[in-house]
Amino acid sequence: MRLNELSPGSEAVIDHIEDRESGDPVAVRLRELGFVPGEPVKIIAQGPFGADPIAVKIGFTRFALRRVEAARIVLRAVA
Amino acid sequence: MDAMVETLPLRAALVGNPNCGKTALFNQLTGSRQKVANYAGVTVERKEGRLTTPAGRGVRLLDLPGAYSLTATSPDEAVTRDVCAGRYRGEPAPELLICVLSATNLRLHLRFALEVRQLGRPMVVVLNMLDAARRQGMVIDVPRLQHELGVPVVTAVAIRKNGATDLLDLLDHPPLTGPAPSAKDEDLHATVRRLLTECVSRPSAGTEALEDRLDRWVLSPVTGLLILFALMFVMFQAVFSWAQPLMDSIDAGVSAFGELVRHVLPDGVLQSLIVDGVIAGAGTVIVFLPQILILFLWILVLEESGYLPRAAFLLDRIMASAGLSGRSFIPLLSSFACAVPGIMATRTIQNPRDRLITILLAPLMTCSARLPVYTLLIAAFVPDRYVGGVFNLHGLVLFTLYMAAIGSALIVAWVLKRGGKATEHPLLLELPAYRLPNLRDLGLGLWQRAVIFLSRVGTIIVTLSVLLWALSSFPAPPAGATGPAIDYSLAGRIGHWMLPLFAPIGFNWQICVALIPGLAAREVAVSALGTVYAVGGGETDAAAQLTPLLSAQWSLATALSLLAWYVFAPQCFSTLAVIRRETGGWKMVVVTATYLFGLAYAASFVTWRVALAFGGGAS
């Protein structure tokens, strides 16, 4: 599952970030912002139009991501 | 030797993530001893301040733009990267890097500190917002953190008086050498995790943070949009109604001052130059200062409180349909008051292309200076009656003019987006913790905006006003002349020369003349029409007397054409001047002026032709 498919309110753990191309700047930035393997994430809100973008809580930080950006974040299957 | 060190100021730079409280710390340390300028060649704001340590050592402190990483993705971050590495041209390498972290967000901010540490330059770490971290029940082992990082660590509460004394003491004896280099392939996230487990303890997350409770309302599709709408409504009310008394008094003050000078100086060219050129010209601009300051106060409060990124979150999808991101919302909204602060507010947009498009669109938003012109023409030509029993026709026409501007802005944005390369420009926006705006930071922010506005735009406006005054005063009418003086002046002649260009869109030569002083500020066109039609009195009187005159002399088609012209026309030198300033060159000024002129001409032409076809040509 990917972060853009996660239902609002539920929590999940990041497995890895997928590069769309080699050196994908969005993927690089996501990692720098702390989207790294093992971190728990949670969707706290969705945009009012077409449920895009989404607001994600990771650690003590909240980020607004568009769904195309969130689709790079692959989540761990729940054991 | 020691005395040498004492006299040379230390060059230090503040670095840190956005939202780490860096600017508050900068204000705390330097107070009003700040200089705001741009870095050479780019439009990134450069802030430098001076301070003196308790032992009397001078420090020149540079406030570098906030960055998430030294792998830059925006012009701001590139400046930070290059200055930190000592590679920025014309900017000596800082002797000390002061890396500011918010204690409430160590997981994110420590990673950046580790990245800065890899540079191996002398640095100190400031744990800011310690009070907020304590309230969250967090306990940080500072000596342990200092030991692990290998650089001095001090704590600070930048928003509190004397909240940075530890840092000031440290600046008396700054570290002269950098930290020992860490392994090149160091996994920064792993190090951060280790540091957090070793040095930070916090209670198991029991209570829900304030952010979670607020965000449930603020980010929700229904209440979120309602809150946004309410905030914007109050903001517009504030800009239009609260500013009015202040603007009226400034206006009265300027006129009174002008009259005073008129009495003091002997009649003649010098008197006319000072009163009609300099004082009246500067006055038309200074009048907008209250509006601009109130608008900026709102923007600063929204920014400082952490709300602005949330507004961008709510509106991102709408802006995305025009190829922009949610970040463009506030600058465009501000442009409804005046494009000048709106264009200045585009600094919050990181993507350079988005910023440029937003700057190009800002003049299309119907600014308040267009209202006097709209009001005059609508009152003169549109019958005051009700449509369908509810809607006042005047109001409907005004609403249509606003909508025409917004609609065309969307179309222009869409066209510009097609022209650009289809690269993905991400949103990736941090929604920072809510905080109460700090009065000192608001005050300093407003003061800086006021100075920028008055000094830069003011000087250009005064120059142009003098030029326009000269054009409409010389040559003086011959003795025994009967018509208004402007007929004989250069401006009057220019009006006649311009006629062939503007006749196809239904303008007469009097309108052409009024367009010239209207360049300085749009609403001046109203008083200029008054001058041309030899109507005396102040602006308000002129408007009242003009209404019957215009409806008698102009055809409806001409009036509609002029309205269409004003929706688009690039008739405001302040806007062009601020575009020059914000984009750092004349290219965008030419592009903006050309495309707006083209749009205005086309819109007026179509309006004129359509109105003629429907029989609106009779005066």
Side-chain angles (χ1 to χ4, degrees), chain B residues 258-434:
Chain B
E259 283 314 305
L260 187 77
V261 174
R262 197 188 293 281
H263 286 295
V264 170
L265 292 175
D267 272 3
V269 175
L270 182 68
Q271 183 208 57
S272 178
L273 168 69
I274 301 282
V275 176
D276 303 328
V278 178
I279 297 177
T284 51
V285 184
I286 292 171
V287 155
F288 287 107
L289 189 64
Q291 262 191 0
I292 284 173
L293 288 187
I294 289 180
L295 191 66
F296 263 109
L297 181 66
W298 271 96
I299 294 175
L300 280 170
V301 168
L302 292 180
E303 215 172 80
E304 292 270 309
S305 63
Y307 182 77
L308 214 47
R310 285 164 171 93
F313 166 85
L314 290 170
L315 293 168
D316 181 67
R317 187 59 184 266
I318 295 180
M319 304 303 284
S321 66
L324 294 166
S325 83
R327 292 170 198 259
S328 301
F329 166 68
I330 290 288
L332 290 180
L333 185 82
S334 315
S335 301
F336 275 102
C338 175
V340 171
I343 289 168
M344 276 155 73
T346 60
R347 292 177 176 191
T348 51
I349 304 171
Q350 276 141 0
N351 182 296
R353 203 187 120 270
D354 279 11
R355 180 162 181 234
L356 205 58
I357 292 183
T358 311
I359 288 177
L360 287 175
L361 293 182
L364 280 177
M365 302 294 122
T366 307
C367 69
S368 55
R370 270 175 256 204
L371 268 177
V373 182
Y374 286 175
T375 318
L376 172 76
L377 292 180
I378 289 174
F381 290 96
V382 177
D384 189 9
R385 59 181 166 86
Y386 282 82
V387 183
V390 224
F391 300 110
N392 178 284
L393 197 58
H394 282 181
L396 265 181
V397 171
L398 194 63
F399 182 74
T400 312
L401 291 170
Y402 271 80
M403 284 301 125
I406 295 173
S408 48
L410 285 175
I411 294 169
V412 170
W414 187 77
V415 170
L416 289 174
K417 177 191 164 195
R418 304 264 304 181
K421 275 180 275 172
T423 52
E424 181 182 0
H425 43 113
L427 181 65
L428 285 182
L429 190 64
E430 185 183 349
L431 305 175
Y434 290 100

Side-chain angles (χ1 to χ4, degrees), chain B residues 405-561:
Chain B
I406 295 173
S408 48
L410 285 175
I411 294 169
V412 170
W414 187 77
V415 170
L416 289 174
K417 177 191 164 195
R418 304 264 304 181
K421 275 180 275 172
T423 52
E424 181 182 0
H425 43 113
L427 181 65
L428 285 182
L429 190 64
E430 185 183 349
L431 305 175
Y434 290 100
R435 12 167 216 265
L436 269 180
N438 178 275
L439 275 179
R440 182 194 57 214
D441 295 338
L442 290 182
L444 274 172
L446 274 186
W447 169 246
Q448 283 161 1
R449 294 298 152 208
V451 168
I452 289 174
F453 175 75
L454 287 179
S455 65
R456 302 302 288 266
V457 185
T459 45
I460 292 170
I461 279 294
V462 169
T463 317
L464 288 172
S465 308
V466 170
L467 195 70
L468 289 171
W469 164 84
L471 283 177
S472 41
S473 306
F474 296 107
T482 48
I486 198 158
D487 257 6
Y488 304 92
S489 70
L490 268 175
R493 284 184 214 173
I494 292 171
H496 284 287
W497 292 336
M498 282 162 72
L499 197 57
L501 179 63
F502 288 98
I505 60 173
F507 289 6
N508 53 28
W509 78 265
Q510 289 93 335
I511 297 179
C512 292
V513 175
L515 290 181
I516 302 172
L519 286 170
R522 288 182 175 90
E523 69 278 27
V524 178
V526 172
S527 50
L529 279 174
T531 317
V532 179
Y533 283 105
V535 178
E539 198 171 298
T540 31
D541 297 331
Q545 294 174 48
L546 265 176
T547 308
L549 208 85
L550 291 188
S551 52
Q553 294 210 4
W554 292 3
S555 67
L556 177 64
T558 295
L560 291 178
S561 173

